[in-house]
Amino acid sequence: MIFSRTTALFALASGVYAQSQYTSTGTAAVAKAAATALTLSPTSSVAGLTFDRFVQIWLENENYSAAIKNTNLAYLASLGITLTNYFAITHPSQPNYVAAVGGSTFGIADDNTHYISSSTKTIVDLLEDAGVSWSLYQEDMPYSGFEANYVNQKTGANDYMRKHNPLMSYNSVTSNTDRLAKSKNFTMFYEDLDNNKLPQWMFITPNMTNDGHDSSLATAGTWSRNFLTPLLSNESFNTDRTLIILTFDEGLTTGTNQVYAVLLGGAVSSAKVGTTDGTAYNHYSLLKTVETNWNLGSLGENDVDATAFF
Ligand SMILES: *[C@@H]1O[C@H](CO)[C@@H](O)[C@H](O)[C@H]1NC(C)=O
Ligand SMILES: *[C@@H]1O[C@H](CO)[C@@H](O)[C@H](O)[C@H]1NC(C)=O
Ligand SMILES: *[C@@H]1O[C@H](CO)[C@@H](O)[C@H](O)[C@H]1NC(C)=O
Ligand SMILES: *[C@@H]1O[C@H](CO)[C@@H](O)[C@H](O)[C@H]1NC(C)=O
């Protein structure tokens, strides 16, 4: 079915229309949507206190103790500040992503499909109020605004998962076409990079292989180094006002949920390169850091009492 009227009407009647307009995964439907789905690449230059661009990159499921010993992740840590007391919020994956943009898990405790009330705000409400541009970059999402899961069309392996897209569970995002249009794939990331149209706030999710979920820590480490190395020397991405955090959604369920988290980019002063910071942080610190930097106020959730990186 390609955006069938029946589906749309049923969805509208059941109140989940916002979550069902871009869910077809068939080849023809995807090709059609890829050709027509709205894609937006807003930019802005709102001066922040410490940085003018914030980039979050999330890998999957590894303990701090193992990740910090991985050769490539240790190499990246040597280029920035290692946060040695950084914790994920919960298990499994999805509520961590949800919490990182909304300040709460909103009771979500699994990886199922959830719809958070349209009255619930996220960081993008605060960013938009302040004129700070934002986008999500989700590897292997077949087109902008896509709302389902997507597999590799040749192998059937998992590629893009909705549960790893931090904003997709929020009706306040999915009911808004302009917001859906800022949920983009890596093709768009490189296009935006080429055109000097990257936003000031972004969240990057590699596919299920590259983030380590369906592969290994070694794969996630290699991907991270290969992805970041050219970008760190690319002024369209990294200036002395760019702050990058590379972290993991959660640790293994056997552990304390301490995860690897490293601050990178030109906003890390040369005096701080190669240092560690033992302050207690968690994923809510991502919100507090952004709110503090651009004087955004708060969501009134766990972001309020979180500690900012600066
Ligand atoms: C990425 O998204 C764009 C915009 O919707 C689409 O045209 C393109 O085909 C997608 N790229 C891939 C590799 O799926
Ligand atoms: C994930 O992306 C890489 C390229 O970055 C690609 O080689 C790999 O096949 C993708 N994984 C799957 C399962 O498609
Ligand atoms: C930045 O990356 C883009 C896209 O890959 C590329 O076109 C451009 O040449 C790069 N710039 C530098 C300075 O490396
Ligand atoms: C994960 O890390 C914790 C410490 O937080 C440790 O107790 C646990 O054994 C680790 N699990 C594995 C499989 O290494």
Side-chain angles (χ1 to χ4, degrees):
M1 267 192 297
I2 307 169
F3 305 126
S4 112
R5 178 167 288 268
T6 326
T7 308
L9 286 176
F10 168 76
L12 192 59
S14 63
V16 293
Y17 178 73
Q19 286 280 354
S20 27
Q21 49 191 336
Y22 294 127
T23 55
S24 303
T25 53
T27 313
V30 165
K32 185 178 177 207
T36 56
L38 182 65
T39 298
L40 293 175
S41 300
T43 59
S44 56
S45 49
V46 181
L49 287 175
T50 316
F51 52 86
D52 296 338
R53 172 173 288 149
F54 188 55
V55 181
Q56 300 148 91
I57 306 171
W58 280 34
L59 305 171
E60 275 281 318
N61 305 355
E62 194 52 79
N63 284 352
Y64 172 81
S65 52
I68 196 67
K69 288 190 205 107
N70 171 270
T71 312
N72 291 313
L73 294 181
Y75 166 76
L76 289 170
S78 76
L79 305 181
I81 304 171
T82 306
L83 308 179
T84 56
N85 195 9
Y86 185 110
F87 284 75
I89 305 296
T90 186
H91 298 290
S93 294
Q94 180 162 261
N96 287 290
Y97 289 83
V98 164
V101 294
S104 170
T105 62
F106 299 105
I108 296 173
D110 56 39
D111 285 330
N112 299 337
T113 302
H114 291 276
Y115 306 98
I116 300 168
S117 158
S118 56
S119 60
T120 301
K121 290 191 173 187
T122 69
I123 189 68
V124 304
D125 289 275
L126 304 184
L127 291 168
E128 287 174 7
D129 285 350
V132 179
S133 53
W134 65 271
S135 284
L136 303 169
Y137 294 103
Q138 307 280 310
E139 188 169 24
D140 289 326
M141 179 181 241
Y143 54 86
S144 301
F146 178 73
E147 297 175 44
N149 299 317
Y150 202 62
V151 298
N152 182 299
Q153 297 300 292
K154 291 198 181 84
T155 64
N158 287 324
D159 254 345
Y160 163 77
M161 300 295 283
R162 177 190 187 274
K163 65 179 178 175
H164 294 167
N165 182 327
L167 288 166
M168 263 311 151
S169 300
Y170 290 93
N171 288 349
S172 59
V173 171
T174 55
S175 62
N176 181 322
T177 311
D178 280 6
R179 287 179 173 175
L180 277 181
K182 288 177 271 202
S183 182
K184 298 174 279 188
N185 59 30
F186 275 22
T187 312
M188 290 306 304
F189 172 79
Y190 285 106
E191 207 168 287
D192 290 349
L193 178 68
D194 264 339
N195 297 333
N196 217 3
K197 293 201 77 173
L198 288 174
Q200 290 193 269
W201 181 101
M202 68 186 101
F203 193 108
I204 298 178
T205 307
N207 72 23
M208 291 281 282
T209 307
N210 291 332
D211 69 7
H213 187 283
D214 288 355
S215 55
S216 61
L217 172 61
T219 300
T222 303
W223 176 83
S224 300
R225 184 169 179 166
N226 290 344
F227 179 73
L228 275 168
T229 299
L231 292 174
L232 289 173
S233 59
N234 191 318
E235 286 210 341
S236 171
F237 179 83
N238 184 27
T239 70
D240 62 1
R241 300 285 295 170
T242 299
L243 181 66
I244 303 158
I245 182 163
L246 175 66
T247 188
F248 284 76
D249 69 327
E250 58 174 332
L252 300 173
T253 48
T254 46
T256 59
N257 226 3
Q258 184 185 0
V259 290
Y260 169 101
V262 166
L263 298 177
L264 294 159
V268 174
S269 67
S270 51
K272 291 275 179 73
V273 167
T275 64
T276 60
D277 177 352
T279 311
Y281 299 117
N282 61 24
H283 290 328
Y284 296 128
S285 301
L286 302 170
L287 291 169
K288 187 71 168 192
T289 298
V290 169
E291 291 163 0
T292 305
N293 185 62
W294 280 298
N295 195 20
L296 303 179
S298 85
L299 293 169
E301 300 286 348
N302 295 296
D303 53 330
V304 175
D305 294 327
T307 304
F309 302 138
F310 296 107

